[in-house]
Amino acid sequence: MATTTPMTEMERQFRRIADDAWSKGDYSVLDETLADEYVSTHYQLEQSFRGIDEYRALIESYREAMPDLTVHIDELVVAGDCVTCRYRVTGTHEGTLRVRGMEIPPTGKSVETPGISIVRFDGDRCTEEYNSPHALGMMEQLGVIPGRADEMGEASA
């Protein structure tokens, strides 16, 4: 017989950020889940976002580029004061994507890219995040850079 573990407050808060802020564009959840001193470090972007306003601007920029952006939580582990998540982001590139000083005009292409996020909590507030999305794969799917399939003369996935 399968058993389920009750959802912890940290897991609930993490899912609210993924589901409401990232997937639905409801940024009010950030004021309820993030600590004032929140820092989100994104390794592939080589950038940290400090505070609620900078993090909100990050989400807004991705949602402007991909209005149907959705975060899919594939696996989530709570240990101590941390939540570790393996996720996928899906979306259709319909607006200008601004990353690492580049402005990528809309391609109309759909993307699905995985990532890993580790979030530390202080009580029920997120205080810091370390995020590593597969940005290279997303750039390949958008046709911004050649992908392995392109190099082999096959269609990109």
Side-chain angles (χ1 to χ4, degrees):
M1 182 171 156
T3 60
T4 59
T5 304
M7 191 180 304
T8 68
E9 186 61 25
M10 291 187 305
E11 179 181 357
R12 188 176 291 102
Q13 296 291 65
F14 184 93
R15 287 181 182 277
R16 289 181 68 205
I17 295 167
D19 295 341
D20 295 340
W22 280 95
S23 297
K24 296 177 185 167
D26 177 5
Y27 307 118
S28 65
V29 70
L30 300 177
D31 295 318
E32 301 165 8
T33 56
L34 304 182
D36 292 337
E37 67 278 4
Y38 181 72
V39 177
S40 179
T41 300
H42 288 246
Y43 292 112
Q44 298 292 345
L45 298 177
E46 296 180 343
Q47 187 174 359
S48 291
F49 301 88
R50 300 181 180 284
I52 295 170
D53 291 338
E54 283 189 16
Y55 191 65
R56 178 182 294 115
L58 168 69
I59 299 170
E60 287 173 339
S61 72
Y62 274 93
R63 290 197 50 78
E64 286 171 8
M66 298 179 204
D68 63 344
L69 183 145
T70 304
V71 175
H72 307 270
I73 296 175
D74 294 325
E75 185 174 7
L76 194 140
V77 177
V78 177
D81 63 351
C82 290
V83 171
T84 301
C85 178
R86 185 174 55 83
Y87 65 88
R88 286 172 297 117
V89 173
T90 58
T92 308
H93 185 210
E94 297 176 352
T96 301
L97 178 61
R98 292 172 177 85
V99 314
R100 296 184 69 176
M102 297 184 292
E103 290 194 3
I104 303 164
T107 62
K109 294 182 178 182
S110 294
V111 297
E112 180 174 343
T113 186
I116 300 284
S117 178
I118 302 170
V119 178
R120 184 175 311 281
F121 282 78
D122 183 2
D124 66 347
R125 297 285 179 143
C126 305
T127 57
E128 62 183 331
E129 173 189 26
Y130 298 93
N131 194 319
S132 188
H134 186 26
L136 181 63
M138 182 175 70
M139 295 299 154
E140 290 173 347
Q141 290 175 48
L142 293 175
V144 175
I145 60 173
R148 293 184 73 188
D150 292 335
E151 293 167 4
M152 296 184 300
E154 300 171 4
S156 289

